[in-house]
Amino acid sequence: DEDVFLIANSEYQINSYYRKINFPRDIKFIVDDPEIIGEPEVRTPMLGIYSGFKELNNLGFEKGFLLSGDMPLIKPEVVELLIKEVEGYDCCIPRWNNGFLEPLFAIYPVEKTYELAKKTIQEKNYAFNNIVDKTWNINYLSVEESIKPLDQNLVGLINVNGPIDLEKVIKLYQ
């Protein structure tokens, strides 16, 4: 049994989600903390990472699984694998054989990630690679060797942002 938190940029967004989606009762929402940016027009996923990990840190969590909202086809078996593989490490990040990382489908140390996200926002440098500290003990999990056996078509790593992405997914299931 895991705790699930969804990050939203406002109470309005949460209410609009509830009108469209029947969420399980145990889902908890965290609203972005825009104070740190100081410029309300700035929108960055890094703010969601900061806000989420800030709340997880306040609640005493040691590690958190970060998942992008546009990856709806994740496989529970893959998440379970990441949880198992982070044991003894600070962080577990899937990595392709070409070196490309999946930073938005990974397990991070809560306090350290919160601090890095805070620093990144304060420096106005919102690149995702800034939430990974090279000094951490990181388990880079091979996408091809470790994840593919559990998710043959790797649909869990597909970002679905529009009709073209949806067509790709449909072809995988035909």
Side-chain angles (χ1 to χ4, degrees):
D1 186 37
E2 305 296 331
D3 292 293
V4 176
F5 296 85
L6 297 177
I7 315 301
N9 63 20
S10 66
E11 293 287 342
Y12 177 80
Q13 187 180 46
I14 292 171
N15 290 330
S16 70
Y17 286 162
Y18 272 118
R19 284 193 296 274
K20 297 174 186 169
I21 302 169
N22 184 17
F23 287 102
R25 289 178 186 242
D26 56 350
I27 298 285
K28 300 164 199 82
F29 277 93
I30 297 171
V31 178
D32 276 342
D33 178 3
E35 301 270 320
I36 189 157
I37 289 185
E39 302 167 40
E41 68 280 355
V42 174
R43 296 291 266 264
T44 170
M46 189 59 71
L47 180 57
I49 294 169
Y50 164 79
S51 302
F53 278 84
K54 177 183 177 185
E55 181 65 16
L56 293 179
N57 190 52
N58 290 340
L59 293 171
F61 285 88
E62 290 182 23
K63 297 213 168 79
F65 175 56
L66 177 62
L67 173 67
S68 174
D70 60 2
M71 298 171 84
L73 302 170
I74 62 169
K75 303 276 187 194
E77 303 84 359
V78 176
V79 177
E80 289 168 10
L81 175 66
L82 264 68
I83 291 169
K84 184 176 141 246
E85 292 294 328
V86 77
E87 286 181 33
Y89 292 90
D90 291 319
C91 189
C92 184
I93 305 174
R95 178 171 58 189
W96 296 83
N97 286 344
N98 66 7
F100 182 79
L101 300 179
E102 293 289 347
L104 298 180
F105 187 85
I107 297 178
Y108 292 95
V110 170
E111 185 176 5
K112 293 175 181 180
T113 303
Y114 159 62
E115 294 295 338
L116 272 181
K118 181 178 179 180
K119 181 176 179 254
T120 295
I121 289 172
Q122 289 169 336
E123 294 173 354
K124 299 185 183 328
N125 184 357
Y126 307 119
F128 288 121
N129 59 354
N130 291 328
I131 62 165
V132 178
D133 187 321
K134 305 296 185 245
T135 65
W136 293 351
N137 184 14
I138 302 171
N139 183 5
Y140 291 105
L141 193 63
S142 169
V143 170
E144 292 85 353
E145 281 88 49
S146 298
I147 294 177
K148 192 165 182 168
L150 301 173
D151 182 0
Q152 193 58 46
N153 293 322
L154 298 171
V155 294
L157 299 177
I158 295 175
N159 296 52
V160 180
N161 291 308
I164 293 171
D165 299 325
L166 213 44
E167 285 177 30
K168 277 193 246 177
V169 171
I170 290 168
K171 283 179 185 168
L172 289 173
Y173 283 100
Q174 288 177 338

